[in-house]
Amino acid sequence: MSTGKKGDSRSGLYFLVFVVAIYLVLFLLKPEKTLPALRASGNMLVRILPIFVLVVFFMGIMNYLLTPKTISRYVGQGSGIKGWLLATSTGILSHGPIYAWYPLLRDLRVQGMRSGLAAAFLYNRSIKIPLLPMMVYYFGIKFALVLLLFMMIASLAEGKLIELFERGPKALG
Amino acid sequence: MPESRKSPINKTEKRPRSILLSFIKVLRSFSTAVPMLCGVILLMGLFQIFVTKEMIASVFTGQMFRDTLIGTLIGSVSAGHPISSYVIGGELLIRGVDLFAVTAFIVAWVTVGVVQYPAEASFLGRRFATLRNLFSFFLAILVSMATVTILMVIR
């Protein structure tokens, strides 16, 4: 794991170089598929650019307005049921790909956000209200509703499990 | 915690002096994330083109338990828009794949991220990313079982 901003960007660069190397090898072997893959990635990037702008906007505002004390009150150790409700609802309402939200979550965790709430937020991102009609079309309304209910329960279970495992070594040590 | 050193966000009670300064700090922080995010997007493009619906459908065996596990595994390594998982899931059902397996597949598709794992580990810590993805994998199986069982009961 990287240990700082330099290390962080360096590991990202290594990963990017690794992926570009895969593209180069695949381009030599299957150019007719590699170029469409590159095009698909370009289209994906264009689609999610507004989400990145939104995330940077949120991060800027939160950095300016919120102190660790405020964050601790809403999503920190003492946040209780309020924190779980906040993580669940914001997870369901958030848009865009999951990885667009990693930088924001990193900053919130640095300022004291509970790991379990971060996990619950990420799990609930899989519940897409705008896509509900599509799910109903393929699988039916009963299936969609029962599945979403169990996914919300699973998000809370995952958050609790992560906190239990993260506290484990400390409790033993 | 190593990741605590990564962010320029204020860790004290003090706020940045101006909103402009706050945005400059955040943009600097976000710029370090760009190479990793670009890598993930490029990987997802490769997956979309190289892994076809036919390839996914061909690995199911017709055995419920094995197919549920296969569905979870395939969903975990798959990447792309959730709509793709609904379309593939719908086609799998038509081809006779069990609803347990299809449900596990679409749940794992959106909750487990093998392709995004390097980025998740880099931002949120390797331990957190590993635990989250492992739990999501097993929960996909449990959610699938609970959902389909309830549907059988209320049908």
Side-chain angles (χ1 to χ4, degrees):
Chain A
M1 183 182 284
S2 55
T3 54
K5 262 173 72 186
K6 260 187 188 168
D8 190 24
S9 72
R10 208 175 293 155
S11 67
L13 267 178
Y14 291 150
F15 180 65
L16 182 60
V17 168
F18 173 69
V19 177
V20 170
I22 295 176
Y23 263 86
L24 287 175
V25 172
L26 287 173
F27 183 73
L28 293 174
L29 299 172
K30 287 197 172 216
E32 73 284 0
K33 277 192 159 188
T34 312
L35 284 178
L38 195 59
R39 216 169 293 134
S41 301
N43 291 338
M44 214 182 298
L45 185 64
V46 170
R47 269 202 316 273
I48 63 169
L49 270 178
I51 303 291
F52 284 144
V53 173
L54 188 74
V55 169
V56 168
F57 176 75
F58 278 154
M59 286 170 75
I61 294 290
M62 283 170 53
N63 183 31
Y64 181 65
L65 294 177
L66 301 182
T67 61
K69 199 177 167 187
T70 323
I71 289 179
S72 169
R73 196 187 316 147
Y74 289 104
V75 288
Q77 290 306 325
S79 57
I81 194 147
K82 191 169 57 188
W84 291 102
L85 284 174
L86 197 63
T88 307
S89 53
T90 50
I92 293 171
L93 294 174
S94 62
H95 285 279
I98 194 166
Y99 47 86
W101 296 91
Y102 293 155
L104 177 70
L105 282 179
R106 173 186 66 185
D107 286 344
L108 284 173
R109 287 188 71 209
V110 166
Q111 295 192 75
M113 183 187 200
R114 287 166 67 176
S115 298
L117 297 187
F121 173 88
L122 289 173
Y123 202 101
N124 277 298
R125 287 206 67 279
S126 55
I127 299 173
K128 306 271 187 199
I129 301 295
L131 301 186
L132 203 58
M134 197 80 176
M135 191 188 258
V136 171
Y137 171 78
Y138 278 104
F139 305 101
I141 183 89
K142 276 186 194 167
F143 176 89
L145 292 178
V146 174
L147 179 66
L148 294 189
L149 175 73
F150 279 115
M151 285 180 79
M152 281 174 77
I153 296 169
S155 76
L156 302 178
E158 182 169 277
K160 283 282 179 197
L161 279 169
I162 283 194
E163 290 195 345
L164 199 72
F165 269 72
E166 286 202 337
R167 271 201 302 260
K170 281 182 197 164
L172 290 171
Chain B
M1 224 162 130
E3 54 263 36
S4 66
R5 272 175 275 155
K6 285 181 193 171
S7 174
I9 295 276
N10 53 326
K11 288 170 216 166
T12 66
E13 295 295 317
K14 284 181 191 165
R15 291 172 182 167
R17 265 172 286 174
S18 75
I19 191 139
L20 186 70
L21 198 67
S22 166
F23 272 99
I24 289 171
K25 276 184 179 179
V26 162
L27 278 173
R28 219 176 276 156
S29 163
F30 200 82
S31 67
T32 63
V34 170
M36 180 63 82
L37 295 174
C38 286
V40 170
I41 291 167
L42 283 170
L43 260 189
M44 290 175 83
L46 273 183
F47 186 89
Q48 272 186 18
I49 301 298
F50 278 85
V51 182
T52 62
K53 283 179 224 166
E54 290 71 26
M55 282 165 79
I56 291 175
S58 67
V59 295
F60 289 94
T61 61
Q63 290 174 302
M64 193 188 81
F65 290 111
R66 191 183 291 180
D67 280 358
T68 304
L69 194 63
I70 291 172
T72 314
L73 278 170
I74 303 276
S76 302
V77 296
S78 301
H81 200 280
I83 286 180
S84 310
S85 75
Y86 303 161
V87 176
I88 298 170
E91 284 193 19
L92 291 174
L93 278 180
I94 293 167
R95 292 181 193 210
V97 176
D98 204 275
L99 187 57
F100 282 102
V102 173
T103 310
F105 168 75
I106 61 172
V107 173
W109 181 295
V110 286
T111 58
V112 188
V114 172
V115 174
Q116 298 96 320
Y117 177 82
E120 187 174 348
S122 167
F123 286 107
L124 303 174
R126 198 174 293 166
R127 183 175 164 80
F128 176 86
T130 308
L131 282 175
R132 198 193 70 76
N133 281 289
L134 271 177
F135 289 140
S136 293
F137 181 89
F138 291 110
L139 282 168
I141 298 171
L142 290 179
V143 166
S144 136
M145 285 175 164
T147 304
V148 181
T149 308
I150 290 291
L151 283 175
M152 285 171 169
V153 172
I154 62 175
R155 196 164 278 168

